Amino acid sequence: MVVPPAHDAVERRTGDHRAADADLERWDREHVWHAFTQMADYEPLLIERAHGCTLVDHQGREYLDGVASLWCNIHGHAHPHIDAAICEQLSKVAHTTLLGASNSTTVRLARRLVELAPAGLNHVFFSSDGSSAVEVALKMAFQYWQQRADPRPQKTHFVALADAYHGDTLGSVSVGGVARFHAMFRPLLFDCWRVPAPITYRAPAEVPRDRAAEYYLAPVERLLAERHSEIAALVVEPLMQAAAGMIVHPQGYLRGLREITRRYDVLLIADEVAVGFGRTGKLFACEHEAVSPDFLCLGKGLTGGYLPMAATLATDEVWNAFLGPASAGRQLFHGHSYSGNPLAAAAALASLEVFDREQVLHHLPAKIERLRQHLARIAGHEHVGDVRQCGLIGAIELVRERATATPFDWNEQRGRAACRYARERGVLLRPLGDILVIMPPLAVTIDELDQIVSAAEYGIERATADG
Ligand SMILES: *Cc1c(COP(=O)(O)O)cnc(C)c1O
């Protein structure tokens, strides 16, 4: 016989439940070492479940996912089609190795990526995170020049943009240029040659606004003209440098980089880890300027934001340089235990299917336009120095003084404060310093977008009230 629990037993169980919550928060503070987070003042936020663009914490509070779970989520959380694809794959096999073997789901994904990517990128190397996708492109580029038919062993250097961010492994940090993140590790890094980031906000007075691309391409041309015989590749985030502060490049800049790198026989690595998979309004950012890079790095949104997976796509020209008898040792000696994981591949394939089934790109222009209108209004705020947008990615830069573009003292952490206030209004945001980022899943509705921006505005008001 089933005896219904006595009232106090229910009470006690609820009490236990609360105690468990307090334990979880304490364990989160004490045991989980959070990325890019000062653990001395970390405030636990435990997400328990999610649906669509809504995250639900362990106490049942709901938040809109204003930064797509750190730029990863595309079609919303718990999407039935992606969930089903993962379950179906799980009923077959969760993981098999890609070292000298394969599985059908991963093969299908590679084929689909090749079909969708800019022309000429016929070969896909799988890894587990964006940093590795960049790391792999750097190693492939380096090795390519050593062993192609007409070797150029002098071409060992890399060129990257000022303020670049390409991930946190040492190779990707070497091409990175965000001082606050990277300066500490300088002694561990290889040398990288820098060209200026094509910034328009706070650009030197001599930069002609209508010819910014030309202005910023000139130093690239000078460097490559002089040193191309020593340069293996140039790495860039197409259209927009995300972690650098959502720096939107002038139109024609990417196209110009492709022309210059072609002219001087330098490989072009396009890092679309942040901007890929529809964020800019097209599936890949390179499409906006009809550019085919030599390498395309994908991550974050590849699985719809479900599972860790990244990919480095390369051309036939690069691939061919790695062919030969096994004894010649020309293969790429790089790999990861979970390369090409079938569960992640199933999620990625399903995510690409959702792009078609729900005509995701077709529905973007209306959302992008709504974001543009919101940003245009916010640009008038007395502590907003600049607003920037690339597709469904928006950025709002807070400053102490608009007229002179004088930033707030970094220690005041105004961006962080603004996001804390936005959270009171049920919206989760994560800033880049004093730059507020609006980067919801592509599945965001106009109504949700309005709520996200309105919470951000409230946050800006509160965080700059005593500015
Ligand atoms: C996030 C990011 C990376 C690193 O990806 P991880 O998966 O965090 O290693 C690399 N490049 C760009 C442009 C990114 O935004």
Side-chain angles (χ1 to χ4, degrees), residues 203-448:
E206 75 267 20
V207 180
R209 293 292 148 142
D210 53 334
R211 298 205 331 275
E214 220 176 295
Y215 177 91
Y216 283 108
L217 286 166
V220 183
E221 169 104 43
R222 278 198 299 277
L223 176 64
L224 267 59
E226 199 182 318
R227 318 286 302 257
H228 64 91
S229 62
E230 302 162 80
I231 300 172
L234 180 150
V235 54
V236 66
E237 281 185 81
L239 299 201
M240 194 193 70
Q241 287 171 256
M246 303 299 171
I247 299 171
V248 181
H249 294 171
Q251 207 184 339
Y253 180 76
L254 178 66
R255 179 87 230 143
L257 286 183
R258 177 69 284 190
E259 283 163 16
I260 296 168
T261 49
R262 277 252 158 75
R263 195 172 320 135
Y264 293 103
D265 220 1
V266 165
L267 298 170
L268 179 65
I269 302 172
D271 176 357
E272 292 217 19
V273 172
V275 296
F277 298 103
R279 301 264 180 226
T280 66
K282 294 188 187 287
L283 193 62
F284 298 114
C286 281
E287 295 172 30
H288 288 272
E289 303 207 350
V291 158
S292 278
D294 299 291
F295 298 96
L296 179 68
C297 303
L298 303 173
K300 293 195 169 94
L302 170 57
T303 61
Y306 264 63
L307 287 163
M309 173 177 254
T312 308
L313 277 69
T315 59
D316 294 342
E317 169 69 22
V318 170
W319 162 274
N320 288 336
F322 289 73
L323 301 179
S327 58
R330 296 164 68 91
Q331 55 269 53
L332 180 71
F333 290 104
H334 182 108
H336 298 281
S337 309
Y338 285 96
S339 283
N341 173 265
L343 289 176
L349 271 172
S351 170
L352 291 169
E353 283 160 12
V354 174
F355 269 101
D356 289 337
R357 294 159 69 120
E358 298 180 7
Q359 295 190 42
V360 171
L361 297 178
H362 175 77
H363 290 116
L364 278 181
K367 303 176 190 183
I368 292 170
E369 171 58 18
R370 183 66 150 224
L371 179 59
R372 192 195 61 74
Q373 291 166 1
H374 281 308
L375 291 174
R377 180 184 67 254
I378 292 172
H381 189 279
E382 65 166 319
H383 286 292
V384 171
D386 190 31
V387 296
R388 299 185 279 276
Q389 183 182 8
C390 182
L392 202 56
I393 307 170
I396 305 162
E397 181 156 349
L398 306 183
V399 291
R400 176 176 302 288
E401 199 182 87
R402 269 168 77 89
T404 53
T406 308
F408 281 112
D409 185 344
W410 189 77
N411 297 316
E412 295 172 11
Q413 308 243 322
R414 301 279 179 158
R416 209 173 144 204
C419 294
R420 228 177 8 246
Y421 287 117
R423 194 189 292 190
E424 288 175 7
R425 292 283 168 100
V427 171
L428 273 194
L429 296 173
R430 184 174 166 88
L432 294 161
D434 283 342
I435 299 163
L436 262 66
V437 175
I438 311 284
M439 194 162 170
L442 303 188
V444 72
T445 63
I446 295 278
D447 184 49
E448 288 167 334

Side-chain angles (χ1 to χ4, degrees), residues 71 128-132 134 165-168 237 242-243 271-275 299-300 310:
W71 317 352
S128 318
D129 55 75
S131 309
S132 299
V134 172
Y165 176 83
H166 297 290
D168 293 324
E237 281 185 81
D271 176 357
E272 292 217 19
V273 172
V275 296
K300 293 195 169 94

Side-chain angles (χ1 to χ4, degrees), residues 28-30 32-34 37-44 416:
D28 188 23
R29 270 202 205 90
E30 292 176 359
V32 182
W33 197 329
H34 290 265
T37 301
Q38 176 43 259
M39 293 310 297
D41 65 6
Y42 168 69
E43 285 298 330
R416 209 173 144 204

Side-chain angles (χ1 to χ4, degrees), residues 131-132 134-135 138 165-176 182:
S131 309
S132 299
V134 172
E135 197 89 20
L138 298 172
Y165 176 83
H166 297 290
D168 293 324
T169 57
L170 289 176
S172 54
V173 168
S174 294
V175 290
H182 299 155

